[in-house]
């Protein structure tokens, strides 16, 4: 069914998460499209229900009750809208059952292996393993791994077009020998995409065609200096629908309800982040911190690589085991307990903290009741975000899917150095979502958590997703960009304000930067402080920022910068705690004093902790 | 709204349980419908295809991959022993012979004329599935496994380590708030399911390993000891395959937490019986909790499950987060309006009167779990 945007009066969109299915109802009013209500219910992919539509119907039923409007006819969504009943459009995203889990392989881990990984991540997958000829594993170890993991799909790449085919075929032979099984049910063939050397296509068909559901697409690395991810990403989306979703419990029925293909949740969020970056012509980082995983999305201009300033590079990474409930213990394991404690402005017994974190892991739905507990949870969040961003920087080194050129020296540079595309100074907007950020009791808490974790430099705007509806808006944007944009702006995105952070090091208390918000007196902020200045809640305002010698806010060391920023509900945070390096005091008493002073400066908590 | 639904761990004296015992791939079912089985009865058996090893014959024999198949001295499909000559080629006018040996026992599976790679499949790996529960076979899944039904006491823990085991129940402490000490574990506890009280520490667990107990059931232990026990920080709660020498089930959580009275009484009442225990825990979609199953007298009607369902004024609950973590009390009111916590979050709450000191407290509904009366 073709969607005609002008005919759409109401939209029902669901996101089937691994634990909760969220439904939003959007209606067209005199001032355009607005979110009118939302509902949620536990996801029902697993036993005893094993039918995702049960959870969808329950969530929609809640929307129905809250809105006082009939949307269901028994176990069916009423569509199109007739009078006040039903909706004109229903669509859905899904990460239920662990989302799309893929294994990718390339010849050289840092080259085709990395490209394959970017293609899979960009399509919204969790990459379980990257296999390559030079990954240090012996063939039998690779085969064992292939048999152990039960991915939803495998992306096989390798070789440039016209190059040697033997090594690519060798990987396919290993795959055939392993005869891996698909995750959902043994009754269907494992989808495999080949996006490698086109000269090897026929042999790959001969080797894998009879054993797997093989799709052959254009090479994702046709030349060493050229990356072409779109065909592989499109094939992933198609196979996700045709094979994975079709075999997940209840999805066949769910797919029949919507004229729009079901999208993997992170793929839909990525679409919105890309669109925001395009519309505002700025570099954007989005982060979604969940209970089990944390996704980071970024769009940066590629001009620093000598390419056109209008070209942008989109990247998405998922930190599969960094999150605030199921994975909270892994944050502690990866960050180290001392890194969590450095954000806590009071003494905590380490053994007690370890037990608290484990108790959160085994009872993941609990919430902090005391202020101290909230502070500890927010400290963990800072570390989860920091680690996720580090992982993102390490992989956000690729080119966008469409064909682009770069020379061999750049290719080698990217592979060895990594992180070259994430330029924190160029970052224009940082968007956070996920319970710990969206539901922080004070918005300033969300703002400081993001500032501490991402350490933005120069001038950066910050926002949070009020109720985490970006996935639904992402899939909506594919068929109705206007409605998606309107709801995103008015009901989804909460602008917090901006952060001014001079890059450089200094001595605490010495002059660092002067900031003037248009219409107000200039304010000098010495080194080592956080200061909150008032911004209008709406509209734009001009800033004049004059850093001291040795400090850079984006125009060069000691050079003043004029910049317009959007207002926000928190205001303008002037952060002179230093960048490159950002260092917290080593001495515990000094550190605690500092943390308390910074918390006071931002009015972070109702009382001192 | 007077009601609320909150999940809790099941602790019941008489439940009807079914457990599917399925092979990872097709094989032979060894028991029949209606047959009574013991926990260690092997109910199904199969053979997993062996692992695969590769030999780069083209490189080894310095031969063209397209011709390497002609160098095989043993045809594809033949069984071989490790070290057997499987291919050879003559060079230097027949004066030199280069050979390749089998890297393992197995069968020559295939050879590629493109890469010259030979695949050798190792012998199949036998896999057996035990009944795990003492019970009756109520369904046979042809070539796959069986469903065992058992009736008896069923207790879910909150977190566990180690796989499936079984043994006689022995209560080794006097009270549910007591720590299980090393000296509480005696030689005669070998192969037993030992019930501790509120807490166990690493030294006692080491003793458990020395004695050879089958399982330890206890209220809580410390995360620091968990790290020592498994040699790493446990990141994600997916357990069940640890090889620590016994199975550990925590009934309450991490820290020193007295075992809930009902759990304690139920385990005590079943002392001397055989219990099946699994430590496998997986806390994500499709939550899997550790369990203790104690098959009882058949024929008794299963009791209503009191541990989960509607929550109402008068229900018994346990607080599962600070500041009253582990304390037990009775719900005294369930206001419908959102209330502000100390954190300033607006949430749904309830009030509790604690069992031990009759003090009242307001607690977020998310932070309690229903327990049996």
């Amino acid at each position: 069914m073709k969607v005609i945007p002008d005919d759409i009066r109401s939209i029902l969109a669901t996101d089937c998460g691994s634990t909760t299915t969220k439904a939003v109802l959007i209606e067209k009013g005199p001032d355009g499209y607005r979110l009118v209500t939302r509902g949620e219910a536990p996801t029902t992919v697993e036993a005893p229900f094993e039918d995702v539509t049960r959870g969808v119907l329950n969530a929609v039923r809640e929307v129905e009750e809250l809105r006082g409007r009939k949307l269901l006819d028994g176990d069916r969504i009423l569509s199109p809208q007739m009078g006040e009943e039903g909706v004109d459009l229903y669509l859905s995203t899904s990460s239920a059952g662990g989302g799309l889990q893929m294994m990718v392989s390339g010849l050289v881990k840092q080259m085709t292996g990395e490209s394959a990984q970017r293609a899979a991540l960009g399509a919204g997958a969790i990459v379980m393993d990257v296999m390559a000829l030079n990954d240090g594993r012996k063939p039998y170890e690779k085969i064992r791994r292939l048999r152990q993991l039960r991915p939803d799909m495998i992306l096989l790449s390798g070789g440039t077009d016209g190059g040697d085919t033997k090594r690519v075929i060798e990987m396919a032979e290993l795959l055939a020998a392993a005869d891996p099984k698909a995750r959902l049910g043994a009754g269907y063939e494992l989808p495999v995409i080949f996006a490698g050397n086109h000269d090897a296509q026929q042999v790959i068909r001969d080797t894998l065609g009879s054993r797997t559901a093989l799709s052959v697409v254009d090479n994702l690395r046709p030349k060493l200096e050229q990356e072409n991810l779109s065909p592989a990403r499109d094939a992933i989306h198609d196979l996700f629908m045709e094979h994975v979703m079709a075999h997940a419990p209840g999805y066949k029925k769910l797919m029949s309800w919507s004229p729009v293909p079901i999208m993997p949740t992170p793929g839909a969020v990525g679409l919105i982040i890309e669109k925001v970056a395009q519309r505002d012509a700025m570099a954007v980082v989005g982060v979604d911190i969940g209970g089990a995983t944390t996704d980071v999305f970024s769009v940066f201009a590629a001009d620093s690589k000598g390419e056109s300033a209008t070209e942008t590079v989109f990247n998405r990474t998922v930190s599969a085991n960094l999150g605030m409930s199921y994975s909270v213990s892994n944050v502690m394991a990866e960050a180290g307990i001392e890194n969590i404690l450095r954000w806590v402005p009071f003494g905590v017994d380490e053994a007690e903290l370890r037990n608290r974190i484990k108790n959160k892991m085994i009872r993941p739905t609990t919430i902090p009741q005391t202020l101290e507990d909230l502070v500890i949870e927010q400290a963990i969040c800072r570390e989860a975000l920091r680690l996720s961003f580090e992982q993102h920087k390490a992989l956000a080194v690729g080119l966008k899917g469409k064909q682009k050129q770069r020379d061999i020296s750049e290719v080698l540079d990217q592979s060895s150095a990594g992180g070259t595309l994430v330029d924190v100074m160029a970052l224009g907007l940082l968007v956070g979502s996920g319970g710990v950020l969206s539901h922080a009791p004070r918005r300033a808490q969300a703002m400081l958590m993001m500032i501490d974790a991402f350490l933005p430099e120069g001038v950066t705007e910050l926002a949070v997703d009020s109720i985490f509806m970006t996935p639904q808006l992402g899939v909506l944007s594919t068929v109705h960009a206007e409605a998606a944009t309107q709801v995103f702006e008015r009901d989804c995105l909460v602008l917090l304000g901006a952060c001014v952070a001079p890059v450089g090091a200094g001595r605490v208390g010495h002059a660092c930067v002067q900031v003037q918000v248009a219409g107000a007196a200039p304010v000098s902020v010495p080194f080592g402080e956080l200061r909150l200045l008032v911004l209008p809640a709406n509209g734009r305002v001009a800033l004049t920022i004059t850093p001291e010698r040795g400090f850079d806010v984006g125009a060069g060391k000691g050079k003043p910068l004029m910049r317009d920023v959007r207002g926000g509900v928190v205001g303008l945070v002037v952060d002179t705690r230093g960048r490159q390096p950002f260092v917290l005091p080593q001495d515990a008493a000094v550190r605690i004093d500092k943390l308390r002073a910074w918390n006071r400066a931002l009015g972070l908590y109702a009382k001192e902790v | 709204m007077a009601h609320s639904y909150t999940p809790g761990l099941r602790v019941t004296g008489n439940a009807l349980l079914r457990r599917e015992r399925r092979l990872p791939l097709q094989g032979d079912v060894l028991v029949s419908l209606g047959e009574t089985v013991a926990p260690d009865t092997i109910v199904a058996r199969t053979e997993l295809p062996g692992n695969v090893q590769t030999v780069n014959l083209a490189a080894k024999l310095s031969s063209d991959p397209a011709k390497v198949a002609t160098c095989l001295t043993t045809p594809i499909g033949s069984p071989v022993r490790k070290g057997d000559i499987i291919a050879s080629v003559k060079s230097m006018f027949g004066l030199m012979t280069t050979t390749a040996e089998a890297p393992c026992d197995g069968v020559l599976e295939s050879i590629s004329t493109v890469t010259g790679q030979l695949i050798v499949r190792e012998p199949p790996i036998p896999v057996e599935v035990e009944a795990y529960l003492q019970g009756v076979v109520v369904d046979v899944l042809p070539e796959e496994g069986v469903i065992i039904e058992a009736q008896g006491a069923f207790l879910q823990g909150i977190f566990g380590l180690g796989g499936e085991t079984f043994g006689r129940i022995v209560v080794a402490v006097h009270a549910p708030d007591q720590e299980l000490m090393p000296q509480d574990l005696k030689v005669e506890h070998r192969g037993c399911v030992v019930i501790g009280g509120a807490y166990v520490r690493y030294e006692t667990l080491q003793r458990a390993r020395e004695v050879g107990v089958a399982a330890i059931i206890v209220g809580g232990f410390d995360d620091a000891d968990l790290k020592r026990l498994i040699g790493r920080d446990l990141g994600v709660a997916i357990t069940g395959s640890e090889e620590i020498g016994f199975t550990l089930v925590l009934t309450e959580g991490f820290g020193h937490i007295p075992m809930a009275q009902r759990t304690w009484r139920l385990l005590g009442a079943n002392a001397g019986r055989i219990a099946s225990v699994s430590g496998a825990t997986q806390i994500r979609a499709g939550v899997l909790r550790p369990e203790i199953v104690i098959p009882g007298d058949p024929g008794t009607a299963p009791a209503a499950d009191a541990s989960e369902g509607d929550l109402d004024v008068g229900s018994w609950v346990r607080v599962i987060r600070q500041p009253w973590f582990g304390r037990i009390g009775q719900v005294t009111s369930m206001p419908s309006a959102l209330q502000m916590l100390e954190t300033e979050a607006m949430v749904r709450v309830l009030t509790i009167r604690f069992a031990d000191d009759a003090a009242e407290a307001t607690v977020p509904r998310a932070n309690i779990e229903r327990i049996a009366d």
Side-chain angles (χ1 to χ4, degrees), chain A residues 139-140 147 170 173 177 292 326 329-330 354-355 358-359 362-363 366-367 369-371 373 377 441-442, chain B residues 49-50 54 112 115 117 121 222-223 233-235 252 254 283-284 289 320-321 342-344 362 367 369:
Chain A
Y140 76 89
R147 293 174 67 173
E170 201 174 305
E173 284 170 356
Y326 302 109
S329 183
N330 199 51
R354 294 185 76 98
N355 285 346
K358 279 290 185 300
N359 281 322
I362 57 176
R363 291 182 169 103
T366 60
I367 59 172
Q369 177 167 9
T370 65
L371 203 48
D373 221 9
E377 196 149 303
R442 292 189 180 191
Chain B
T54 54
S112 168
T115 61
Q117 199 147 225
R121 174 104 31 204
D222 283 332
D223 179 49
D233 257 323
L234 182 75
E252 316 303 319
F254 285 84
I283 308 166
R284 263 171 105 151
R289 295 287 188 185
I320 52 175
R321 183 131 184 183
E342 184 190 86
T343 60
E344 298 182 294
T362 302
N367 290 0
E369 66 188 9

Side-chain angles (χ1 to χ4, degrees), chain A residues 11-17 20-26 38-41 43 52-61 63 71-72 77 89-95 251 254-255 257-258 261-265 268 468-476:
Chain A
I11 301 154
L12 180 66
T14 54
D15 173 46
C16 309
T20 312
T21 297
K22 289 141 286 203
V24 296
L25 178 65
I26 294 164
R38 63 189 289 268
E40 61 181 48
T43 296
V52 73
T53 61
R54 305 305 317 162
V56 169
L57 292 169
N58 289 341
V60 174
R61 209 158 280 134
V63 170
L71 301 174
L72 297 172
I77 291 170
L89 179 63
Y90 169 69
L91 26 81
S92 190
T93 57
S94 174
S95 59
Y251 277 86
L254 186 68
M255 285 155 71
W257 290 352
S258 175
I262 296 169
M263 269 188 126
T265 303
F468 191 50
M469 57 186 290
T470 39
Q472 292 98 320
L473 298 181
V475 66
L476 177 60

